[in-house]
Structures are given as structure tokens and as C-alpha cells.
């Protein structure tokens, strides 16, 4: 049972998870399956379906696809923003603290803030709120300039080109290919699909500054609404935790935060490495597996068992470019050629549905994307742990 004292410090039973994203919900499922009490703290109280946000912002998805109430996935939810984390204890913006036998930090990442003049004029796409705002802005725009040809930029360009054909779209990328972190075939496949939709792709382009009316690239002003999709950074150092470059929290092989005993971290916020020492990218797939593994080890800690080293790797990528076209790398297999590009959007839906089932059971399927829902041949039951979460700070 939770206990409070006069200094606004509260001790809760079991495991406390900071962040209700992919890593947080999979950590929650692992802890719950072991019969251990679990509480999720999130600054919004919503689970954002981040891999669907490009579709929502671009217009191929519906606004309902953007996020779902965390209370439909987790019984005990606190809404509040955590500012500081010590071993087994977290502090909120109003100074109150929560303590638990184990804490898992899954606070995700934010758009990076590069030193480009006028970056304040660029719009970001990292949360459901960003996606809904961007959707309205794009609907009112004649042209759109997206900076960054990674997963976010490519998926957004694809969705806008399908749903808003009157909006002219330019995708500006500094390196020589799209999807630089993925095999070259996928970058070429993305370029083929986007150029087939009249998206203007500029590779090797150097952004000089951003203004209220557009982006100056190699001396030329590209007019339009600007979106920054040039990368993400974690904010682990803001919590007072040890971090590497890019703000990602340093971990031991069991996903425990370096130097701490009762605090784990997983997902974008953490620096995950494969067994050969390579830094893993920030991806939903890594977040899901790391979240579940951190949940299992938190349970072992509570039971006094030995923690297990976690073997993580990036198994692949599945990107949906809208219009029933996409790209995928599944292990050694690349799906990027015309004809095969019909398969990745179906894989994307299947992975999304599996994630909902694993974290919220069959009732969570009602939060499937609008396109996936149209494929489910039965009426989904309505059920929730309650309508509102406790607002903590
Ligand atoms: C537009 C877009 C498209 C993408 N597409 C793909 C894709 O197709 N495939 C893929 O593998 N990856 C994709 N990614 C990357 C992927 O979505 C992320 O790697 C993934 O969301 C990370 O999950 P997470 O649980 O670590 O963080 P998140 O999903 O971001 O969840 C973090 C949670 O923590 C909460 N939080 C943050 N700070 C605090 C705080 N201080 N206090 C309390 N709560 C807090 C947030 O509200 C949020 O709910 C995409 C990313 C974007 C932005």
C-alpha cells in the first residue's frame, strides 16, 4: 500500500515507470505478468503512437490514430513531469517525490536542437500534439520543406504527397542518400516512391538558415512551411543521471543505470548497445525489447534474484510511406523494390497490432490505427481501468 508523509514524499509498492511510450508499456507488461504492482508516470497521461505520427500529420491517418489514454493500458497512472531521478526515487516539477522498490526510466527523446540560425521557425514532429498541430498547418500551406531524410522525414513526405497532393513537398537531406542509417537499397527505394509522387528530393544539401518563410539551402530560399526532422536527442542529463553524447543514459549490461542499484533505463532515453558494442539507433523495435527486458530485470531485483545481461540488436526497420507503399529491412532481407513495397505497410500494421495486444490485451485493439481497424472482422469490446488518471503535479 502507498504511504505519504508531510514532506509530500510518497512510497509506492513495486515498480515505478517514467514514461508511457513503447518502452514504458512493454516494461509495464513484463512487470504485471510477474504479478508485481506497477505504476506509470507520464507528463501527458497519453500513450502516443509515435510510429503513426507521420501519417497523422501528413493526413493519411486520422487524428484518433495519434494517441490513446494510458489508463486503458495501465491501472495505476500518475500524470506529472519528472525533473530529477535518484536511485529508486523521482522528483516532480512541484517538488513532490515518489519512491519505489525499483524505477525504470523510459522518457524517450526530443527533436535535436542544432545550431542553425532560425531553428525556432521550424516545426517538430515528436508527439501526438506536434502531429495534430502540424496537420492543421500543412492543410493550410501551399508548400512544405522537410529538413532531414531519415525515417521521420521520409514517412512525412510520403504521407503529405498522398493526402495533400496540392501541397508541393521538398525533402532536404545533407548526406548523399535518404535513410542514411539503413541499407542503401532502402534509401533508393524511398527516393523512387517519393519522386514518383512529385516530392522534390535534394541530397547533399546544406541548410544555411531557416526564416519565417522557408529554408535557405546552398544560397537559395526554398519557400514553405518548415519541418525539422533532422534527428533526436535524449534528455537523460536533465534528470541528473550519467549520460553519453546525445543525452542517452549510461547502463550496465542488465540495463541498470551506471552506478545505481534500483534504477533501470530503456528506449530512446538510454544508450543501448548490441553484444558487439555497437550503439543501437533510437527505434521503436529497440524500445519495445529493451523495455520488456528492463521490466524482467526489475522484477528479478525485487525477488532478490540475479539480474540477467540483456542481448539487444536492431532487427530491422519497417517504414510506411502512405498510399499502401513502404520499405522494410527484415534481418538480411530488404523489401524496397516496386511491387514488394506493398508488403511493408501490412507489416507495419501487424507490428502495431501485436504491440497493442502485448501491452493492453484484446481490448487495446480498439486503439488500432484506422486503416488496421477496417481489417478487424469483429466488434471490439469497450473497457478501461477508468476514465481519468491521478494528476500528480
Ligand atoms: C515521426 C516518427 C516516426 C518514427 N517512425 C519509426 C518507425 O517507423 N520505426 C521505428 O522503429 N521507429 C520509428 N521512430 C522512432 C520511435 O518512435 C522511437 O524510437 C520510440 O518512440 C521510442 O520509444 P520510447 O518508449 O523510448 O519513447 P517514447 O515513445 O517517446 O515515449 C516516451 C514517453 O515518456 C514521457 N515523458 C517524457 N519525458 C517525461 C518526463 N520528464 N516526465 C514524465 N514523462 C515523460 C512522454 O510523454 C512519452 O509518453 C519514429 C519516430 C518519429 C518521431
Amino acid at each position: 500500500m502507498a504511504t505519504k508523509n508531510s514532506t509530500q514524499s510518497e512510497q509506492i509498492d513495486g515498480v515505478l515507470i517514467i514514461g508511457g511510450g513503447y518502452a514504458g508499456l512493454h516494461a509495464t507488461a513484463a512487470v504485471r505478468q510477474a504479478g508485481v504492482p506497477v505504476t506509470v508516470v507520464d507528463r501527458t497521461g497519453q500513450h502516443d503512437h509515435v510510429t503513426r505520427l507521420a501519417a497523422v500529420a501528413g493526413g493519411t491517418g486520422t487524428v484518433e490514430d495519434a494517441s490513446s489514454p494510458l489508463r486503458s493500458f495501465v491501472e495505476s497512472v500518475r500524470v506529472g513531469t519528472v525533473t530529477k531521478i535518484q536511485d529508486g526515487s523521482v522528483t516532480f516539477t512541484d517538488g513532490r517525490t515518489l519512491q519505489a522498490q525499483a524505477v525504470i526510466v523510459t522518457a524517450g527523446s526530443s527533436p535535436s536542437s542544432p545550431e542553425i540560425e532560425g531553428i525556432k521557425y521550424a516545426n517538430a514532429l515528436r508527439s501526438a500534439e506536434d502531429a495534430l498541430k502540424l496537420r492543421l498547418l500543412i492543410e493550410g500551406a501551399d508548400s512544405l520543406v522537410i529538413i532531414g531524410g531519415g525515417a521521420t522525414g521520409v514517412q512525412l513526405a510520403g504521407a503529405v504527397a498522398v493526402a495533400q497532393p496540392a501541397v508541393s513537398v521538398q525533402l532536404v537531406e545533407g548526406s548523399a542518400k535518404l535513410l542514411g542509417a539503413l541499407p542503401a537499397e532502402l534509401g533508393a527505394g524511398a527516393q523512387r516512391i517519393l519522386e514518383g509522387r512529385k516530392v522534390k528530393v535534394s541530397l547533399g544539401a546544406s541548410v544555411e538558415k531557416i526564416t519565417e518563410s522557408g529554408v535557405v539551402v546552398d544560397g537559395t530560399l526554398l519557400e514553405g512551411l518548415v519541418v525539422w526532422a533532422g534527428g533526436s536527442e535524449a534528455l537523460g542529463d536533465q534528470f541528473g543521471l550519467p549520460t553519453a553524447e546525445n543525452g542517452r543514459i549510461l547502463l550496465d549490461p542488465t540495463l541498470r543505470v551506471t552506478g545505481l542499484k534500483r534504477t533501470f533505463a530503456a528506449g530512446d532515453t538510454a544508450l543501448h548497445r548490441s553484444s558487439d558494442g555497437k550503439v543501437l539507433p533510437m527505434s521503436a523495435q529497440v524500445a519495445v525489447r529493451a523495455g520488456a527486458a528492463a521490466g524482467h530485470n526489475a522484477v528479478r531485483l525485487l525477488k532478490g534474484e540475479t539480474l540477467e545481461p540483456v542481448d539487444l540488436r536492431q532487427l530491422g526497420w519497417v517504414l510506411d510511406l502512405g498510399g499502401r507503399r513502404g520499405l522494410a529491412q527484415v534481418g538480411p532481407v530488404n523489401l524496397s523494390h516496386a511491387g514488394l513495397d506493398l508488403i511493408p505497410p501490412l507489416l507495419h500494421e501487424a507490428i502495431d497490432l501485436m504491440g497493442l495486444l502485448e501491452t493492453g490485451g484484446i481490448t487495446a485493439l480498439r486503439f488500432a490505427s484506422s486503416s488496421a481497424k477496417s481489417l478487424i472482422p469483429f466488434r471490439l469490446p469497450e473497457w478501461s481501468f477508468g476514465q481519468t488518471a491521478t494528476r500528480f503535479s
Side-chain angles (χ1 to χ4, degrees):
M1 184 184 289
T3 54
K4 286 184 187 176
N5 66 27
S6 56
T7 60
Q8 301 290 309
S9 167
E10 188 181 345
Q11 173 79 40
I12 59 157
D13 289 336
V15 179
L16 179 62
I17 295 177
I18 315 305
Y22 296 116
L25 282 190
H26 281 80
T28 301
V31 175
R32 191 170 44 206
Q33 270 163 23
V36 172
V38 57
T39 295
V40 174
V41 168
D42 193 280
R43 63 185 169 195
T44 67
Q46 292 284 118
H47 169 69
D48 288 357
H49 301 279
V50 182
T51 59
R52 299 182 198 161
L53 296 183
V56 173
T60 53
T62 66
V63 294
E64 291 78 23
D65 291 348
S67 73
S68 309
L70 272 173
R71 282 282 284 166
S72 299
F73 294 83
V74 190
E75 186 168 8
S76 177
V77 176
R78 306 290 181 101
V79 180
T81 300
V82 170
T83 54
K84 189 173 165 199
I85 299 172
Q86 288 169 302
D87 204 9
S89 162
V90 307
T91 306
F92 291 81
T93 37
D94 64 1
R96 286 194 282 177
T97 63
L98 266 185
Q99 282 147 24
Q101 289 148 294
V103 169
I104 306 176
V105 188
T106 62
S109 58
S110 303
S112 58
S113 31
E115 288 182 8
I116 296 176
E117 186 185 334
I119 187 72
K120 65 178 180 191
Y121 296 116
N123 297 279
L125 178 56
R126 188 62 189 81
S127 64
E129 193 185 345
D130 292 340
L132 300 179
K133 180 181 150 212
L134 203 49
R135 184 184 180 113
L136 291 176
L137 290 172
I138 293 171
E139 281 170 0
D142 296 326
S143 51
L144 174 68
V145 186
I146 302 169
I147 306 172
T152 300
V154 160
Q155 292 183 107
L156 179 63
V160 176
V162 168
Q164 315 276 350
V167 178
S168 101
V169 183
Q170 302 212 36
L171 181 59
V172 175
E173 165 57 38
S175 72
K177 65 184 184 91
L178 295 179
L179 301 174
L182 280 64
E185 282 168 76
L186 270 72
Q191 195 166 346
R192 170 181 56 75
I193 293 171
L194 294 178
E195 289 181 339
R197 294 175 182 170
K198 307 216 178 327
V199 173
K200 185 156 184 260
V201 177
S202 305
L203 299 175
S206 173
V207 171
E208 286 159 16
K209 66 173 174 176
I210 303 169
T211 70
E212 270 178 289
S213 53
V215 183
V216 179
V217 177
D218 298 319
T220 305
L221 175 67
L222 308 179
E223 283 188 74
L225 178 73
V226 181
V227 175
W228 169 254
S232 300
E233 61 192 12
L235 303 171
D237 41 357
Q238 293 191 358
F239 297 128
L241 295 173
T243 58
E245 70 285 355
N246 215 7
R248 297 174 82 180
I249 299 168
L250 293 169
L251 307 175
D252 73 15
T254 68
L255 307 190
R256 216 161 26 173
V257 177
T258 303
L260 301 186
K261 288 196 162 44
R262 294 192 283 147
T263 307
F264 299 79
D268 282 7
T269 205
L271 187 74
H272 293 299
R273 291 181 186 275
S274 58
S275 49
D276 58 4
K278 285 202 188 99
V279 171
L280 293 171
M282 292 180 181
S283 78
Q285 186 251 118
V286 170
V288 161
R289 297 187 62 233
H296 287 303
N297 267 341
V299 169
R300 283 191 192 97
L301 182 80
L302 264 60
K303 291 184 173 171
E305 295 170 4
T306 307
L307 305 190
E308 288 184 351
V310 177
D311 181 17
L312 290 173
R313 62 196 78 173
Q314 174 69 26
L315 297 173
W317 291 88
V318 181
L319 304 179
D320 185 347
L321 273 65
R324 299 190 188 283
R325 290 285 182 284
L327 303 154
Q329 179 212 352
V330 186
V333 179
N334 294 326
L335 298 176
S336 58
H337 297 290
L340 292 180
D341 55 17
L342 291 164
I343 300 171
L346 297 172
L347 282 177
H348 201 262
E349 299 287 17
I351 292 167
D352 197 63
L353 289 173
M354 263 164 43
L356 291 171
L357 269 175
E358 282 169 13
T359 54
I362 194 149
T363 55
L365 290 183
R366 71 185 188 280
F367 301 121
S369 67
S370 42
S371 54
K373 239 186 244 167
S374 65
L375 303 173
I376 298 175
F378 52 88
R379 192 180 147 79
L380 294 163
E382 289 289 329
W383 186 83
S384 159
F385 286 109
Q387 294 307 309
T388 53
T390 310
R391 181 162 288 280
F392 192 69
S393 63

